[in-house]
Amino acid sequence: MGNKKYSIGIDFGTESGRAVLVDVATGEEVTTSVYNYKDGVIDEILLDGKTKLRPDWALQNPEDYITTLKITIPDLLKNSGVKSEDVIGLGTDFTACTMLPIEKNGDPLCFSEKFKSIPYAWVKLWKHHSAQPEADIINETARKRNEKFLSRYGGKISSEWFFPKILETLIHAPDVYEAADRFIEGADWIVLKLTGEEKRNLCTAGYKAIWDKHEGYPSNEYFKALDPRMENVVEEKLSEKIYPLGGKAGEITAEMSELTGLLKGTAVSVGNVDAHVAVPAATVVDTRKMVMIMGTSICHMVLGKELKFAEGMCGVVEDGILPGYFGFEAGQSAVGDIFAWFTKNCVPPEYHDEAKRRNSSLHSLLEEKASNIKPGESGLLALDWWNGNRSVLVDADLFGLIVGFTLITKPEEIYRALIEATAFGTNKIIKTLENSGVGVDEIYACGGLPEKNKLLMQIYSDVTGRKIKIARSSQASALGSAIFGAVAAGKNRGGYDSIEEAAKNMAHLKQETYKPISENQKIYSTLFTEYEILHDYFGRGENDIMKRLKKIKQTIIKNKS
Amino acid sequence: MGNKKYSIGIDFGTESGRAVLVDVATGEEVTTSVYNYKDGVIDEILLDGKTKLRPDWALQNPEDYITTLKITIPDLLKNSGVKSEDVIGLGTDFTACTMLPIEKNGDPLCFSEKFKSIPYAWVKLWKHHSAQPEADIINETARKRNEKFLSRYGGKISSEWFFPKILETLIHAPDVYEAADRFIEGADWIVLKLTGEEKRNLCTAGYKAIWDKHEGYPSNEYFKALDPRMENVVEEKLSEKIYPLGGKAGEITAEMSELTGLLKGTAVSVGNVDAHVAVPAATVVDTRKMVMIMGTSICHMVLGKELKFAEGMCGVVEDGILPGYFGFEAGQSAVGDIFAWFTKNCVPPEYHDEAKRRNSSLHSLLEEKASNIKPGESGLLALDWWNGNRSVLVDADLFGLIVGFTLITKPEEIYRALIEATAFGTNKIIKTLENSGVGVDEIYACGGLPEKNKLLMQIYSDVTGRKIKIARSSQASALGSAIFGAVAAGKNRGGYDSIEEAAKNMAHLKQETYKPISENQKIYSTLFTEYEILHDYFGRGENDIMKRLKKIKQTIIKNKS
C-alpha cells in the first residue's frame, strides 16, 4: 500500500452505522463495513423489557454508536490490509436532530441505574415525534414575540428539533432535565467520545438548535417565556461555543485507539449531519447547484452567497453546509416511501407474477411499463402529500390526492403519476428558491433512488427543466465524512486544507447525465401549472378539507379505543 | 297445474335475453331461461367478417332477439310443465335507446343483401357512443332556439338517444336513411314481430325520443334546423301514435305461435324499458319512493304527481313509468364498474391469497375488512366520477378523485371510500330531486349489487338517511315484464286490470330492510358536505382541471398514433 493515505468516514444512520475507507488522493472507496444496530429504533418498549413507549416515540441506545466504532473500523483495516498509520483522519455524520442528555463526564444519562427505565433519559431519535405540543408552544411563543429567527426556518420550528425535544423532557420528566448536565446532539456526542473534546458543530446548531453565527441562540427572555425553568438553558445545559464544519475537533484518544485500532492522535473532524455532509461528496462546493439526497424522502441543499428567506425552507444557515456560504435546506417528507406504499398496497397479482416470471423487481416492471406512457397520457395528476408537506407549506396535516381516474386507469399509470407528483414537489421548491433569489441551474442527485430508477430521474429532469448529474458513490454521506476526515487531517499529514480541494479530488460523478427532453418539458410545464392550482387550493387554506378529514379521523379513532 | 295462470316476462339485455315464467296470482317465479346472444355486442367487425367498426361503435344483430324467443319460451314451458293455454300474457322490456332502421314489412334493413355490410343498417345498441358530434348539434340547435324540451332532460340530450343516432345515419349514410322505411326502438320492434302490430311505447318515446304527451315530438322547424333533410323525420320515419304502458299491444301471431309454442292470441303488452319496467317489480306504484336499479351503474326512478324540473335528470316523462304519474329518471354512470375496476387493478396478492384460502370472493373479503372501518376513520374521500357524471352534472368529461392518502392507507379503506363516494352521488341526486319538489321518503333497491354487498346497502342507508328495502326478485326487469304481460291479458283472462293491482300481488320485497344508523348518519352528513364542496369545485367550472387533463390526454394519444 506504500505511501497511500486513507481517510475513514462513518455515517450513523437510523438502523445502522456505515463506515467506508477512502483513498485520500482519488476518493476510491476501498472497503465498506456496516453494523446493524443491535437495538435499532426503540419504539415500543425500553430495554428493561417493561417500560412501554407511547406511539410517536423513537429512541436509540448510544451503546449502538460505540459498537459501530468497535466493529466497523477494525473491519475496514482488516479487509483492506491498510495499516493504521496510513489512516490520516476520521470524519463522522449523524442523523439529526438525534439528541441525548448526558452527565458531566459525558456518559449518557440512560446508562445510569437511576434513569435507565426513564424513556426521557435515552437518545431521542430524529423521528421521535411526540414533542409536537412543545413545538407548538415554541412556535406560538416565537410568533407572539416576533422572534426574527422564525424566518430562517420557513416560519416553523419542527417537533423533530432540539428545543422541542428538550422542552418535552422538562415538562414531562423534570428530574431528567435537572439531572442532565448537558443535552447534546449524537453528532457531537460521538466526537466527544472519540476525542474527549466537546466541540459542538455548526450544522446541527444552525439547522436544529436555532443558532445563528451572528445572533447566537434565541434570547434568555424567549426561553423564559417558554418555561421559567428554561431561562438559562443555553448556559446550563448546552455550550455557547460552536465549531465550523471542516475543522478538526480533536484526536483519537488512547481509549478509542484501543477500541478501534486507529492510532492515538488520528485527526477527527467536527461532527456533521448525514444529508449536509453529502453535498461535497456530490462534488458540489459552489452556488447554483442543488443537491438532492433521494431516498424514502428527499433533502434539497443549495449554497448561496447571500442570506435570503425562501418560503417553507427547513432552514438557511450561514456556514451550515460549507464555510463561506449560506446553506439552504428544503425537503419533501415522502418520496421513495410513496412508491413503496404503492407497490405494497396497490399492485395486483398479475404484475407480481409477471415480475417473478421475468426475474425482475416489481419496481423495475412498473418502471418499464410506466416508461411506455407519455407525459399527460394517463390524464392523472397527484399531490405528493402522503406524509404531509415539508417544503414549501410546512404542514404535516396535508394528505395525498389523485385526480383523473377512469375505468381503464392502469396501475403503471398511477405509479407514473406518483413519480411525477414528487417531481412537481421538487420543482415547487426550486421555483420558490429562485423567486427568493437563490438560483438553481443544475441538480446533483445522490442516495438510493437515482441508481434504481432511470425513469424517475428523467421525469425529474423533464419536470424541473434542468440537467441532473449523479454522484458516483452510492454512500455519499459516508464518503462525505471521509472527505471531512481528510480535511481535519490537513495537507501536512497527507490530507487537504480545504473542503473544496478535498472534494475536487475525492468526489466524483457518474458518466450519465439526465437532460430534459424538450417535448416532455413542455407538457410538464402545463401539468405543473395544474399541480400548483391544486397545491394552493388544498394547501393554502382555500379548502381545508384535508385538515377537517384528519380531525374527523382522530375523533373516530379516539372514540373507538 | 290446474287453474293456475301464468305470465311470461322477457328482458332483452346487452349480452343475453332472460325469460321468466311467473305465477300470476302470487308472483312466484316458476322457471327462468337465458339465451346468450350468439353475436352479442358487435363492436369490432361486422358479421361479414371484413367491415371494421370504429371505436365507440356498438351494434347488435336483430336475429339474436328472435332466437331469444325461439329458445327461451319453449324452454320455460318444457321446464315448468305449464301448458300454453295457461300462459295468459307476455311482456317484454329492452335496453334503450337500442334502435334500428326497418323496411316497410318490418324486416331490419341489415337483413337485406344490399345493406348487410353497412354498419348504419344494423341495430345501434344503447351504448353505441359515436353520435356525440350529432348530439352536440342537437343540443346546440335546441339551446339556440330556446327549445322548451331541453329542461325535461336535465338540459342535455345524450348521444345514446334516438335522434342523435338517426342524425348520425343521415349524415354518414344518407342512403341508409333514405332506404329506411322507419327507425324503431328494439322495444317496439320485438312487439311488432310478436303481434304484427307497430305500437310504439310511451317510455322510449318519452325518455329517448324527446316525445311528450302534450307537446308531441320537437317541431318540424327544429328538425329542419338540424338538417333540412330531417324536416319531416317524424312523419316519414317514425310514427306519431304512441301507446301507454300497461296496455295490450296485440296478440301472438300464428307465425310466432309456431316459433314459441305460445297460443295464437296470447296477449302481448306494449314494449317497455329494462330499468323502468323494474319499478312495479320492486313493489313501487306510488310517489315518494325511489327505486334504484343497482349494477354496473345505477338508475334512479321516482314517481311524482306534478311536473318538476330537477337539475341533471335523465328525463321526466308524464306516464313514462306508470300511467297517471310523472316518471323521474336520474342516474350514476359507474357504480359496480368502479368496484370491479378497483378489485381488478388495485388489490395486492395477499388479499387474493387470503380470499382463496377462505374460499371467499375478493369482493366479500374487501367487504368484510371494510366493515371493520368506521365512517370517517380512513380520512379518505372520493368523487365517484370514474365514468363521468350523469346526474346531476350531465358531464362525461369528469373523472374520479381520491383525497386523503397516507403511507398507511389500506386497500379496504380505499374500497370503502369508493362505496361511500357512490352513495354520496346517490344522495346528491336525492337532495336535488327534493329541492325541486320531488320527495323521496324511502328507497327500494333491485339489481345485482344489493344481494352481493350488505355493507354497500348499509352505507347507502346511512348516507341517504333513508330506509332501503330490497326487491325479492333477482331479475326485477323480467318479473316487471311478466307483470305488464298479466295486465295486457286483463282480469277477464285471468290477469289484472291495473299495474297497481298486478304489482300488489306479483311483486314482493325481501324481509331485510336497511335502516340508517344514527351515529354513522351524523358523520356521513359532515362528509357529504365535504363531498359537495369538491363536487362543485371540480364539477361546476371553478377548477376545470379534469377537462384540461382530458384535452392534454387526447392530444398526446392523437400524436402518438
Side-chain angles (χ1 to χ4, degrees), chain B residues 128-160:
Chain B
H128 174 87
H129 279 145
S130 68
Q132 189 59 54
E134 289 75 22
D136 293 344
I137 296 172
I138 281 172
N139 284 308
E140 211 184 302
T141 308
R143 270 193 296 274
K144 269 192 203 147
R145 293 173 46 90
N146 273 319
E147 295 287 351
K148 269 170 50 190
F149 63 74
L150 271 186
S151 57
R152 298 201 307 271
Y153 303 100
K156 226 181 247 180
I157 304 302
S158 161
S159 72
E160 291 181 3

Side-chain angles (χ1 to χ4, degrees), chain B residues 28-150:
Chain B
E28 187 204 343
E29 295 166 27
V30 181
T31 185
T32 296
S33 174
V34 177
Y35 171 66
N36 290 310
Y37 299 153
K38 182 170 69 66
D39 297 320
V41 179
I42 304 167
D43 53 7
E44 292 185 357
I45 197 152
L46 274 194
L47 299 187
D48 62 8
K50 56 187 185 197
T51 308
K52 281 190 185 151
L53 301 176
R54 283 185 288 127
D56 296 349
W57 274 66
L59 306 178
Q60 282 189 327
N61 182 0
E63 192 65 46
D64 272 331
Y65 310 145
I66 302 298
T67 311
T68 298
L69 300 174
K70 189 177 158 185
I71 300 279
T72 62
I73 298 177
D75 204 35
L76 292 179
L77 296 175
K78 204 186 77 189
N79 290 348
S80 64
V82 167
K83 295 201 184 81
S84 56
E85 58 256 39
D86 292 324
V87 178
I88 61 169
L90 169 66
T92 59
D93 65 86
F94 232 86
T95 61
C97 164
T98 292
M99 52 83 79
L100 64 162
I102 56 174
E103 305 203 60
K104 198 165 174 54
N105 66 359
D107 282 353
L109 218 56
C110 61
F111 286 178
S112 76
E113 203 52 41
K114 186 171 171 200
F115 288 105
K116 68 176 190 189
S117 284
I118 311 291
Y120 297 89
W122 291 78
V123 177
K124 289 185 185 169
L125 186 59
W126 65 275
K127 65 176 179 177
H128 174 87
H129 279 145
S130 68
Q132 189 59 54
E134 289 75 22
D136 293 344
I137 296 172
I138 281 172
N139 284 308
E140 211 184 302
T141 308
R143 270 193 296 274
K144 269 192 203 147
R145 293 173 46 90
N146 273 319
E147 295 287 351
K148 269 170 50 190
F149 63 74
L150 271 186

Side-chain angles (χ1 to χ4, degrees), chain A residues 235-398:
Chain A
E235 296 81 354
E236 290 171 10
K237 305 287 179 185
L238 314 181
S239 160
E240 282 171 280
K241 192 102 180 73
I242 303 297
Y243 291 83
L245 302 176
K248 173 174 155 185
E251 298 176 348
I252 293 285
T253 61
E255 187 192 345
M256 281 293 136
S257 170
E258 193 161 323
L259 185 90
T260 63
L262 292 178
L263 292 188
K264 181 166 172 297
T266 305
V268 176
S269 72
V270 167
N272 212 328
V273 176
D274 48 8
H276 303 66
V277 81
V279 172
T283 77
V284 172
V285 288
D286 203 351
T287 60
R288 306 191 71 83
K289 297 170 178 173
M290 172 179 271
V291 175
M292 293 197 298
I293 297 100
M294 307 178 78
T296 54
S297 60
I298 295 185
C299 191
H300 307 77
M301 307 275 180
V302 195
L303 300 173
K305 274 290 183 190
E306 290 168 75
L307 178 62
K308 304 281 181 189
F309 299 108
E311 185 194 11
M313 292 303 104
C314 304
V316 45
V317 173
E318 190 172 352
D319 304 336
I321 299 173
L322 280 192
Y325 294 92
F326 288 88
F328 296 87
E329 181 192 348
Q332 283 172 273
S333 38
V335 177
D337 271 351
I338 299 180
F339 315 141
W341 169 84
F342 179 76
T343 50
K344 174 162 186 265
N345 290 287
C346 308
V347 183
E350 300 90 280
Y351 286 65
H352 289 260
D353 294 348
E354 188 178 345
K356 219 173 280 168
R357 213 163 51 237
R358 295 167 53 180
N359 217 351
S360 144
S361 79
L362 193 57
H363 271 295
S364 300
L365 181 79
L366 286 167
E367 184 191 353
E368 187 192 317
K369 286 182 188 286
S371 298
N372 296 324
I373 303 163
K374 290 260 183 203
E377 186 181 346
S378 72
L380 293 171
L381 191 80
L383 288 176
D384 53 318
W385 300 345
W386 263 247
N387 193 19
N389 176 297
R390 175 59 223 181
S391 303
V392 300
L393 296 170
V394 200
D395 193 337
D397 291 348
L398 296 174

Side-chain angles (χ1 to χ4, degrees), chain A residues 3-14:
Chain A
N3 266 342
K4 278 196 180 180
K5 297 296 175 197
Y6 300 88
S7 174
I8 289 175
I10 307 185
D11 169 39
F12 291 88
T14 302

